[in-house]
Amino acid sequence: MNIAVCVKQVLDSSVPLRVVHGVVQADAPWPITHLGAADRAALEQALELRGQLGGCVTAISAGDTDAVEALRFCLARGTDRAVHAQCNDGSDPVAAATAVGTILARQPIDLVLCGNASGDGASGLFP
């Protein structure tokens, strides 16, 4: 079974931030992002299904350098492939979904898994 999992790198909400003279500052080194919890769950489910059914897991993320970090995490967890969907604004769920949909249409994918909402805006529009 060929499984695609859509992931997004989001701001780590456990890192305290403060605004000083209009500039966001953190007590941790930048970047302070990670894969969102719902996307991590979708990733783990995809990997578990691959273990049961065989096949290939492809991670897909839309956006800029944050998307690349999300894909590196997925490869480290054991995905077979990672695809960076280039789009001008990965934070816009419609633009991101359009970019990812274009890639998915060209792939032999049997199942697409997504988290129910991102860990930042949590609009739930992408899935």
Side-chain angles (χ1 to χ4, degrees):
M1 174 175 274
N2 292 321
I3 304 168
V5 61
C6 301
V7 297
K8 182 180 181 186
Q9 195 84 346
V10 297
L11 185 65
D12 185 347
S13 62
S14 68
V15 175
L17 299 176
R18 61 184 178 281
V19 178
V20 178
H21 303 295
V23 177
V24 176
Q25 296 179 348
D27 294 330
W30 292 94
I32 49 173
T33 59
H34 64 142
L35 205 61
D39 292 343
R40 281 196 314 272
L43 172 63
E44 294 304 321
Q45 185 63 51
L47 295 172
E48 185 176 326
L49 284 170
R50 181 191 61 192
Q52 294 171 359
L53 304 172
C56 175
V57 174
T58 301
I60 302 175
S61 188
D64 53 15
T65 55
D66 284 345
V68 173
E69 290 304 313
L71 295 172
R72 285 186 180 136
F73 177 84
C74 293
L75 287 169
R77 288 292 302 132
T79 62
D80 301 290
R81 296 179 54 226
V83 178
H84 182 193
Q86 298 283 340
C87 73
N88 293 336
D89 187 5
S91 66
D92 174 8
V94 175
T98 300
V100 169
T102 300
I103 289 171
L104 288 172
R106 293 185 241 151
Q107 306 291 320
I109 300 294
D110 300 308
L111 175 66
V112 178
L113 296 176
C114 301
N116 63 338
S118 66
D120 51 5
S123 68
L125 293 175
F126 183 94

